[in-house]
Amino acid sequence: MKDAIGPALAGAGLSLTGIRKSYGPVPVLHGLDLDVRPGELMTLLGPSGSGKTTLLKVIAGFEQLGAGRVALGGAEITQLRAAKRDIGMVFQNYALFPHMTVRGNVAFPLEMRRLARSEIARRVEAALALVNLADFGERLPRQLSGGQQQRVALARAVVFEPQLLLLDEPFGALDRKLRETMQLEVRSLQRRLGITTIFITHDQDEALIMSDRIAVMNAGRIEQLGAPTEVYERPATAFVAGFLGESNLYPGVVLADGRLHLDNGLHLPARTALPVGTRIGAMIRPERVTEAASGDSVLEGRVIEAVYLGVAWKYRLALPGGTEILLRTRRSEAIVEVGDTMRVRLAAADVHVMQLD
């Protein structure tokens, strides 16, 4: 597409500084700062009401700021109208014009920019070829599948070579198999174009698959920003640990020698350099908990839940004293059943310690 449509879609960096937004007396974004690197795919991940969609609208120019600054490619665009921001966008419902053909939908943003007809035709054909819809130009949106409609929306969003692409939960209306296919297709396309992209989702797996970096949002703030491996393996807060995948998280306090004293009396093989008396959370992911016959840090509990997940089994154990621990193990048969006793082992390298508020 770089050669076919025009100059390379060299992604521009996006800088957000002190972003504040309220709806009446209700604050939605609280002085948020964020820098998106040129050419990267940044995911805004969070539950409903976390502020991620409002932030996307602020970037796109659909919402006015209460305070703050938006800069794209080094130029401030805070006061620019949405149509002047050089930003492409794909909505969850695709927002295709039902009376226009596929070719007409993709051509629309070029026509609004008053490009020559020959240039419009060249770019539209290149964009449709890019999303594997070269033979669908004369069809109407209603004659396409959901995945095909999404490809049209994507072609329309990039055909005018924007500096930034915004994707607002674009896979939400697709079934699981098609959603997984489109995730890989869009990620591949984004890498080929090198276009800076912000992707919104509340789906944790989707964020891990798609992203260069993930910004986990909660109540109008960014709780953690980092690579997928970082936010999953080393969550900064209890919210991130709980929202991004399943976790075993136990509160406690730091003792004089750096050891951890957990509130439930559980002893985990971990130490920390945090000051004495610091309230901490000790986290271990379920897939890091392993079955064991004997050894250090072996815990024994009763199975109170056994769930088959296809590629693994998930067990919930009740330990003496009432503490529960969750584990995942890859096996083809349910060797352990509800009511059985199971012994598990925890390794120090698999325990992540975070400071609690």
Side-chain angles (χ1 to χ4, degrees):
M1 181 173 179
K2 291 180 179 180
D3 295 329
I5 284 189
L9 300 187
L14 176 74
S15 180
L16 308 177
T17 307
I19 302 297
R20 294 185 180 275
K21 174 65 181 178
S22 298
Y23 292 115
V26 181
V28 180
L29 300 173
H30 303 271
L32 187 147
D33 297 328
L34 180 65
D35 288 314
V36 184
R37 300 164 183 160
E40 83 169 327
L41 191 152
M42 166 84 73
T43 292
L44 304 181
L45 174 68
S48 298
S50 62
K52 57 187 187 297
T53 296
T54 298
L55 181 58
L56 200 75
K57 290 179 179 179
V58 164
I59 296 168
F62 299 147
E63 293 283 359
Q64 291 295 314
L65 282 176
R69 178 178 182 271
V70 181
L72 181 61
E76 184 168 355
I77 61 171
T78 311
Q79 302 302 324
L80 286 183
R81 294 185 294 110
K84 298 293 185 178
R85 293 198 177 195
D86 198 19
I87 294 174
M89 190 162 184
V90 177
F91 301 91
Q92 181 174 351
N93 63 357
Y94 316 134
L96 299 177
F97 299 114
H99 63 287
M100 289 186 180
T101 64
V102 166
R103 185 170 283 106
N105 268 278
V106 177
F108 182 78
L110 301 177
E111 293 170 349
M112 292 298 98
R113 288 165 173 78
R114 301 183 183 279
L115 270 67
R117 288 194 176 189
S118 59
E119 179 66 7
I120 291 175
R122 185 181 68 82
R123 291 198 187 193
V124 169
E125 294 310 311
L128 290 179
L130 183 72
V131 296
N132 298 317
L133 290 176
D135 297 328
F136 292 75
E138 297 308 312
R139 295 194 187 186
L140 294 172
R142 66 172 181 270
Q143 297 172 316
L144 303 177
S145 67
Q148 290 168 338
Q149 290 183 45
Q150 187 181 69
R151 290 187 179 97
V152 175
L154 187 60
R156 184 178 62 183
V158 301
V159 72
F160 61 96
E161 301 178 356
Q163 294 188 78
L164 178 67
L165 176 63
L166 305 179
L167 303 174
D168 186 10
E169 303 211 40
F171 310 126
L174 304 179
D175 62 67
R176 181 171 180 174
K177 186 173 183 179
L178 181 55
R179 185 166 67 244
E180 291 174 349
T181 299
M182 291 304 301
Q183 287 167 1
L184 297 178
E185 286 191 14
V186 170
R187 184 59 169 133
S188 175
L189 176 62
Q190 185 269 336
R191 283 174 170 154
R192 287 166 58 193
L193 296 179
I195 185 170
T196 308
T197 302
I198 297 179
F199 179 82
I200 278 192
T201 186
H202 61 270
D203 186 307
Q204 302 95 325
D205 291 338
E206 193 164 82
L208 293 172
I209 292 169
M210 297 283 292
S211 314
D212 290 310
R213 289 191 296 162
I214 299 173
V216 184
M217 294 189 65
N218 181 32
R221 295 181 173 87
I222 294 177
E223 295 244 344
Q224 186 172 0
L225 172 63
T229 53
E230 179 183 349
V231 294
Y232 183 80
E233 299 289 352
R234 298 180 297 280
T237 68
F239 173 82
V240 176
F243 186 76
L244 194 65
E246 294 181 303
S247 65
N248 298 292
L249 182 62
Y250 306 114
V253 65
V254 180
L255 299 180
D257 59 358
R259 291 185 298 111
L260 312 179
H261 176 71
L262 302 185
D263 295 352
N264 57 14
L266 194 66
H267 295 287
L268 295 181
R271 291 178 181 270
T272 180
L274 291 170
V276 175
T278 302
R279 291 292 297 172
I280 56 89
M283 184 210 77
I284 183 167
R285 293 293 187 186
E287 63 271 18
R288 301 291 189 180
V289 182
T290 58
E291 296 181 71
S294 62
D296 295 335
S297 304
V298 171
L299 303 172
E300 185 173 290
R302 181 174 56 87
V303 178
I304 59 175
E305 183 180 67
V307 179
Y308 180 56
L309 303 174
V311 298
W313 280 85
K314 180 172 71 173
Y315 296 105
R316 188 181 302 276
L317 309 184
L319 304 176
T323 298
E324 295 183 359
I325 189 167
L326 195 64
L327 72 145
R328 289 174 182 254
T329 180
R330 289 181 175 274
R331 55 164 52 153
S332 59
E333 297 179 358
I335 300 173
V336 183
E337 298 179 350
V338 172
D340 289 348
T341 297
M342 180 181 284
R343 294 166 62 86
V344 296
R345 181 180 182 278
L346 307 179
D350 294 326
V351 180
H352 172 67
V353 179
M354 69 191 76
Q355 185 172 346
L356 300 181
D357 295 332

